[in-house]
Amino acid sequence: MPKEKPGFVKTDFDELTFKVNGLAMQTHNELKPGQAEKFYQRRLAQLCQETGLEVEVEKRVEVWVEDSMIGYLRLDLWIEGCLVVECK
């Protein structure tokens, strides 16, 4: 059994995150620095959808602390029902 590199943990999400990171880099290379966040968000969502990924834009989620809902968050992108992407 090969020994893992220290600090590197394999997960079930590695392939998805690798794919989305590549699409994020493509988005950045196309739009260049200095654009409004919404343009990066829209383009990345478009690229994800073009590759067959399920994407929700500005998904609203409840924030809970113990038994109390304290408000809401809007996730920039919610991909494949498991990956949060915040465009900055």
Side-chain angles (χ1 to χ4, degrees), residues 28-61:
H28 180 74
N29 288 336
E30 288 176 358
L31 297 179
K32 308 295 184 213
Q35 303 297 329
E37 179 182 319
K38 65 184 173 184
F39 297 122
Y40 299 104
Q41 177 191 38
R42 289 175 188 166
R43 181 59 177 150
L44 181 54
Q46 182 181 50
L47 290 172
C48 287
Q49 289 168 338
E50 287 173 2
T51 62
L53 296 174
E54 180 184 326
V55 180
E56 290 182 62
V57 177
E58 294 190 10
K59 179 176 176 68
R60 183 178 169 182
V61 296

